[in-house]
Amino acid sequence: MKIKKTLLVVDDEEQLCKTVAGELRREQYEVTEAFDGESAIECINTKSPLSFDLVLLDITMPGINGLQVLDFLKENHPSTKVIMVTGHADFKSAIESVKRGADEFITKPYDFENLLEAIQRILTTEEEE
């Protein structure tokens, strides 16, 4: 039996977060939602010592932003894969995300099929390592 991959979707746009999480559940992923950086870190700490297989992480959020959550993840759960998402796409954010350890950078609004392909590619690469 194939073990479900666990994903954490983090976005301060609650409706978008719920929609993406619902779509991912239909694709047979186990999904947890968080609507800000603080609750994302809480979810990550609650899941310990297990970690999420992949975190879909919005960069621009009030309070603790996505880059700060990324730093926390890479320090405490370095094997967790991360896709950074932003509606304010700029080259500088993409480079900064990758420098800090993100596996992928996607801009909003995103095409769900492209997002799904990125998730599957990253998780497949993880299994091959």
Side-chain angles (χ1 to χ4, degrees), residues 56-124:
L56 189 61
L57 184 56
D58 186 22
I59 290 179
T60 310
M61 297 183 288
I64 298 172
N65 68 34
L67 291 173
Q68 291 167 305
V69 176
L70 175 63
D71 291 342
F72 173 83
L73 269 167
K74 290 303 162 184
E75 189 174 314
N76 297 284
H77 302 278
S79 65
T80 300
K81 301 298 181 188
V82 181
I83 297 177
M84 299 302 286
V85 179
T86 187
H88 313 284
D90 68 80
F91 198 59
K92 188 177 173 191
S93 295
I95 289 173
E96 187 62 29
S97 297
V98 172
K99 274 186 189 171
R100 292 184 182 196
D103 297 276
E104 186 91 32
F105 183 88
I106 294 178
T107 57
K108 291 192 271 186
Y110 41 74
D111 175 88
F112 185 72
E113 288 304 313
N114 292 342
L115 174 64
L116 198 54
E117 283 173 23
I119 290 170
Q120 290 168 340
R121 182 178 64 250
I122 290 167
L123 292 176
T124 302

Side-chain angles (χ1 to χ4, degrees), residues 16-31:
L16 177 63
C17 188
K18 289 174 185 284
T19 301
V20 170
E23 292 289 332
L24 291 169
R25 285 185 188 105
R26 277 192 274 290
E27 296 294 328
Q28 304 303 306
Y29 291 105
E30 185 180 310
V31 183

Side-chain angles (χ1 to χ4, degrees), residues 11-22 33 35:
D11 200 312
D12 61 323
E13 292 178 49
E14 287 190 32
Q15 196 51 55
L16 177 63
C17 188
K18 289 174 185 284
T19 301
V20 170
E33 302 159 30
F35 306 122

Side-chain angles (χ1 to χ4, degrees), residues 3-8 21 24-25 27-32 47 52-54:
I3 297 171
K4 276 189 181 185
K5 293 289 185 180
T6 58
L7 277 58
L8 174 61
L24 291 169
R25 285 185 188 105
E27 296 294 328
Q28 304 303 306
Y29 291 105
E30 185 180 310
V31 183
T32 302
K47 190 111 173 113
F52 291 95
D53 294 302
L54 184 138

